[in-house]
Structure formats: structure tokens, C-alpha cells
């Protein structure tokens, strides 16, 4: 088996963290690339486990030093995949799982075109479910919630683009059932990547419209 770069994206609140944790617990041939970020740790998040939590200065220095495979600005914070993390996991002969957003996925796909990489975008079952999940995260203030919803809408739009003549995301996965979603991601890591046209599911348009409605409501109440 040639180890692959597995790009997993989803709007935050899409359930991606739970999916990747479950997958990693089940498969010893998949390792996780721990990202660096300037955002503050949420409750329970440990340095070197969830992320490498860096100051802005540290992050920027590492960027100048060429330590990142990709970087992105997300909701006002910086995030990046360290080359050393990807090399570490691939060096163990394992697939490397990257939990990253769309701008980062574009950069990774340019450097690891398929079949070296496989990319999946996880969709919430509906806009309402996404809002609910974000609200349950008590660390999200009203302002942050709005930022993240705006970001989610933008990401869903951008996820449908092509990079270097190929789709940015090879697969869409609707997360309406954790077990099913984990199984799908796991199977697709091993599947040969299909070439050719793939229709974007209608649910993407529905979620984008739902998020727009939520956002206009939030603007009225704040
Ligand atoms: P959160 O702050 O909710 O943990 O993550 C916010 C977003 O940043 C998520 O979409 C997550 O996938 C993305 N993200 C996390 N690490 C990285 C990274 O290293 N690079 C990029 N481009 N995005 C990341």
C-alpha cells in the first residue's frame, strides 16, 4: 500500500473532529497530522494533541522558515500543516489525515495531486443542525458564531471548485449518522479515486440557502 494524504474538510460544527477521532481509534494504518494554530485552546484541548498552539509571532516565524506545507487564515486566526507532521506519519508507512479547511486543501492538492491524495468534504445534514452544533459549543460567542456561519457558507461555495483541472474534493459525505460517516471515510481511503465528472449533491445548495437565512436572522437580533 502506498500511503496517501487524506484531506478531510467540513465547516466547523460539521462533526469532522468526532469522525476523525473515531477513525484514528479504529485504524492503526492512519495517523493524524497535528496542525499549528494561533487560536486559543478550547476546554480539554492540549498542546501537541489537538493542535500546536502558537503565538502569532511563533507562527509567522515558522512560516518564513518554510516549515509549513500549507497555511490559511480562518475566522481571524492562523492555521497551518507542518511539513514535519506529514513526513513523520508518511515515514511510518501510514496514511496521513489532514483535518483542514478549503484554502489549505487547495494548496495540498496542488502538491499532492490524486492519487497521492484523496479529499473528502463532510456535510452536515442541514443548516439547522450546523447552527445547533455551533451553539452547543459554549466557547463560541455571538460574534464568533456569526463569523463561523459566514465562513461555513463561503466554504461550501468554494468547495465546489476545481484545482488544476480536477475536482478539489473527490467525495462528499453527509454526516447524518456517525457510524455510517466513519465507515464511508474509511472505505474511501482505500478506494481507487474515480476520474471523471461527479455531480455535486443538491443538499449543498439547500445548506447554503439555510445558512443565509440563519445569518440574516442573527443580524437582526444582534
Ligand atoms: P477549529 O478552530 O474549529 O479547530 O478549526 C477551524 C477550521 O480550521 C476547521 O475547518 C479546521 O479543519 C481548520 N484547520 C485546522 N487545522 C488546519 C490547518 O493546519 N490548516 C488549514 N488550512 N486549516 C486547518
Amino acid at each position: 500500500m502506498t500511503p496517501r494524504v487524506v484531506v478531510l474538510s467540513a465547516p466547523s460544527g460539521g462533526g469532522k473532529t468526532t469522525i476523525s477521532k473515531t477513525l484514528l481509534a479504529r485504524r492503526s494504518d492512519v495517523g493524524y497530522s497535528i496542525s499549528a494554530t494561533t487560536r486559543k485552546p478550547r476546554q480539554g484541548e492540549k498542546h501537541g494533541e489537538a493542535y500546536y498552539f502558537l503565538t502569532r509571532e511563533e507562527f509567522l516565524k515558522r512560516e518564513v522558515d518554510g516549515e509549513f506545507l500549507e497555511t490559511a487564515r480562518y475566522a481571524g486566526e492562523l492555521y497551518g500543516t507542518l511539513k514535519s507532521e506529514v513526513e513523520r506519519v508518511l515515514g511510518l508507512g501510514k496514511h496521513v489525515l489532514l483535518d483542514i479547511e478549503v484554502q489549505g486543501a487547495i494548496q495540498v492538492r496542488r502538491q499532492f495531486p490524486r492519487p497521492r491524495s484523496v479529499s473528502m468534504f463532510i456535510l452536515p445534514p442541514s443548516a439547522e443542525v450546523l447552527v445547533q452544533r455551533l451553539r452547543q459549543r459554549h466557547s463560541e460567542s455571538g460574534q464568533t458564531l456569526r463569523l463561523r456561519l459566514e465562513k461555513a457558507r463561503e466554504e461550501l461555495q468554494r468547495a465546489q471548485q476545481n484545482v488544476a483541472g480536477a475536482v478539489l474534493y473527490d467525495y462528499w459525505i453527509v454526516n447524518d449518522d456517525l457510524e455510517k460517516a466513519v465507515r464511508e471515510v474509511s472505505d474511501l481511503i482505500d478506494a481507487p479515486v474515480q476520474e471523471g465528472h461527479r455531480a455535486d449533491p443538491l443538499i449543498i445548495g439547500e445548506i447554503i440557502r439555510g445558512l443565509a437565512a440563519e445569518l440574516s436572522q442573527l443580524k437582526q437580533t444582534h
Side-chain angles (χ1 to χ4, degrees):
M1 149 202 115
T2 310
R4 279 177 141 175
V5 175
V6 181
V7 173
L8 207 58
S9 298
S12 65
K16 179 183 39 165
T17 311
T18 320
I19 293 177
S20 47
K21 276 194 180 150
T22 313
L23 181 78
L24 287 160
R26 278 188 201 172
R27 285 190 60 160
S28 57
D29 62 339
V30 181
Y32 187 66
S33 158
I34 302 165
S35 290
T37 184
T38 59
R39 89 150 159 73
K40 297 280 167 288
R42 294 196 187 108
Q43 206 175 4
E45 286 183 334
K46 293 199 185 92
H47 179 80
E49 218 177 87
Y51 283 103
Y52 296 111
F53 295 100
L54 306 181
T55 62
R56 223 172 172 81
E57 291 67 35
E58 280 166 345
F59 192 104
L60 295 173
K61 180 177 182 305
R62 286 180 175 221
E63 190 169 26
V64 170
D65 290 346
E67 289 188 28
F68 289 110
L69 179 65
E70 60 77 30
T71 56
R73 188 179 295 267
Y74 186 97
E77 301 292 346
L78 302 173
Y79 292 82
T81 303
L82 291 157
K83 288 179 187 164
S84 56
E85 280 292 303
V86 173
E87 283 159 13
R88 174 181 65 80
V89 180
L90 291 177
L92 294 168
K94 297 183 180 195
H95 301 296
V96 59
L97 187 64
L98 270 54
D99 170 344
I100 60 176
E101 51 66 76
V102 176
Q103 303 164 68
I106 295 171
Q107 298 165 57
V108 170
R109 292 286 267 178
R110 287 214 171 98
Q111 296 172 75
F112 293 93
R114 64 178 172 178
R116 275 314 313 281
S117 68
V118 57
S119 56
M120 308 175 207
F121 195 98
I122 299 179
L123 295 164
S126 66
E128 291 72 27
V129 171
L130 186 70
V131 174
Q132 223 175 45
R133 288 189 190 150
L134 282 175
R135 278 195 200 282
Q136 277 162 6
R137 252 188 216 170
H138 299 295
S139 58
E140 309 291 342
S141 66
Q143 173 67 8
T144 310
L145 175 68
R146 211 164 93 183
L147 267 175
R148 290 198 177 241
L149 287 181
E150 270 164 8
K151 196 75 194 169
R153 184 176 55 167
E154 186 191 310
E155 288 222 291
L156 284 167
Q157 278 159 347
R158 298 182 63 194
Q160 298 172 76
Q161 69 181 287
N162 284 4
V163 171
V167 290
L168 174 53
Y169 289 97
D170 297 316
Y171 302 104
W172 303 98
I173 290 162
V174 179
N175 182 17
D176 47 6
D177 176 272
L178 175 67
E179 183 53 37
K180 184 166 108 332
V182 172
R183 240 181 302 125
E184 268 183 63
V185 173
S186 183
D187 289 349
L188 291 170
I189 291 176
D190 305 316
V193 176
Q194 303 285 326
E195 293 294 336
H197 182 72
R198 174 225 48 198
D200 294 333
L202 294 175
I203 189 178
I204 301 175
E206 282 168 30
I207 297 171
I208 292 173
R209 283 190 292 278
L211 287 175
E214 290 283 347
L215 276 163
S216 69
Q217 240 178 17
L218 270 178
K219 276 180 188 146
Q220 281 162 17
T221 50
H222 284 279

